[in-house]
Amino acid sequence: MRKENGSINANLTQVRENICRACKKAGRDPGEVTLIAVSKTMPVTDLKEAYDAGSREFGENKVQEIMDKYPQLPSDIRWHMIGHLQRNKVKYIVDKACLIHSVDSLRLAEEISAQAGKKQVEADILIEVNIAQEESKYGICREDAIQLAEEIAKLPHVHVQGLMAIAPFVENPEDNRKYFRQIRQLSVDISEKKIDNINMSVLSMGMTGDYMVAVEEGATMVRVGTGIFGNRNYR
Ligand SMILES: *Cc1c(COP(=O)(O)O)cnc(C)c1O
């Protein structure tokens, strides 16, 4: 399927309007919500189109794809690593990603800290929580999140900024509201522990199918791919 010219621009406008509407409904300031354009599998020309329409935050789920696209696009783009990250690939992106959303083990956080130290950068990360306890998803279970946060807090070059969750795929986004509430509550619980070097200001949750509900429930980052770039073609 070919995309029409200008459709990315129009889609972005639509998504931004929807975020504003969800904010209004929840009594929130739209300035609190960052829209991440999830550009995985999309060609650089599509990212350029989104860039020209004002996007500066892009999300990718593969290290190789960030490495390929990074030098081809303007340097004021903020790259978000949102996919499962293998420890042996951390070194390639630790100085390229502004935020790694998908940290779910101490071993991974340790490697991020070590590589950040080597490159003399500080790495901002989120702890990925498997909120619906789905077998197929990465992420730590809710019960273990606080302990993981406490352990990661001791690492020198890694700074936890909040939580990330991937909600189940559902037909009706309302079905995910309970999960968004749970993750928001978890972030409040962790925040109340007042752990040094742990910040809970970011809640990365909500995708094309459910980002409006996520915003109503407190998301500060939504990750929207299909809703901006159209369907992905995995070949
Ligand atoms: C692909 C992906 C998204 C975007 O999904 P859409 O349904 O296309 O909006 C969001 N988050 C993560 C972690 C993803 O891998």
Side-chain angles (χ1 to χ4, degrees):
M1 194 183 73
R2 243 188 82 82
K3 279 187 285 271
E4 288 167 47
N5 260 344
S7 67
I8 290 174
N9 194 336
N11 290 345
L12 267 169
T13 303
Q14 183 68 59
V15 172
R16 289 183 189 127
E17 278 175 18
N18 288 342
I19 290 171
C20 282
R21 197 166 329 123
C23 282
K24 199 169 246 176
K25 201 169 152 191
R28 300 185 62 199
D29 173 0
E32 291 171 13
V33 181
T34 301
L35 171 60
I36 300 173
V38 176
S39 46
K40 62 190 187 194
T41 78
M42 296 300 163
V44 165
T45 48
D46 282 7
L47 278 75
K48 195 75 193 11
E49 206 172 319
Y51 182 91
D52 290 340
S55 293
R56 293 296 179 270
E57 317 272 338
F58 288 83
E60 292 283 345
N61 69 339
K62 292 210 168 78
V63 167
Q64 188 59 51
E65 229 175 309
I66 295 184
M67 309 254 300
D68 290 344
K69 289 172 177 174
Y70 186 91
Q72 300 185 57
L73 284 151
S75 59
D76 61 342
I77 284 179
R78 289 166 50 81
W79 294 94
H80 295 257
M81 176 59 192
I82 62 172
H84 179 65
L85 179 57
Q86 286 171 290
R87 281 181 300 136
N88 63 350
K89 294 189 177 161
V90 168
K91 56 179 174 284
Y92 301 118
I93 54 131
V94 74
D95 56 346
K96 296 188 178 64
C98 68
L99 184 63
I100 300 172
H101 292 228
S102 45
V103 178
D104 61 359
S105 74
L106 181 60
R107 268 158 48 101
L108 176 58
E110 282 170 344
E111 178 64 10
I112 295 170
S113 186
Q115 294 298 336
K118 266 192 197 170
K119 296 225 157 76
Q120 301 194 319
V121 295
E122 300 295 308
D124 285 335
I125 65 160
L126 303 179
I127 293 177
E128 179 175 353
V129 182
N130 185 346
I131 200 70
Q133 318 280 315
E134 288 177 285
E135 288 280 338
S136 60
K137 294 218 170 99
Y138 294 105
I140 187 155
C141 67
R142 236 182 311 152
E143 294 70 34
D144 297 340
I146 294 182
Q147 198 194 336
L148 180 61
E150 283 169 341
E151 289 166 351
I152 295 177
K154 296 174 193 145
L155 300 173
H157 305 294
V158 163
H159 308 291
V160 175
Q161 302 296 343
L163 304 178
M164 182 271 228
I166 304 176
F169 180 79
V170 288
E171 291 290 330
N172 180 357
E174 284 297 329
D175 294 346
N176 280 339
R177 189 180 292 276
K178 59 179 179 294
Y179 296 124
F180 296 141
R181 277 197 187 148
Q182 284 170 8
I183 194 122
R184 154 120 182 110
Q185 187 57 49
L186 179 61
S187 87
V188 170
D189 292 346
I190 296 176
S191 188
E192 282 172 353
K193 299 250 170 200
K194 304 221 180 301
I195 307 163
D196 272 351
N197 192 27
I198 298 285
N199 190 335
M200 280 287 132
S201 58
V202 176
L203 268 186
S204 168
M205 58 188 193
M207 311 182 7
T208 295
D210 56 19
Y211 67 90
M212 291 167 75
V213 175
V215 167
E216 286 171 27
E217 296 302 332
T220 68
M221 284 185 183
V222 292
R223 309 177 307 264
V224 179
T226 315
I228 295 172
F229 295 104
N231 288 328
R232 285 180 289 273
N233 204 347
Y234 290 101
R235 261 186 310 196

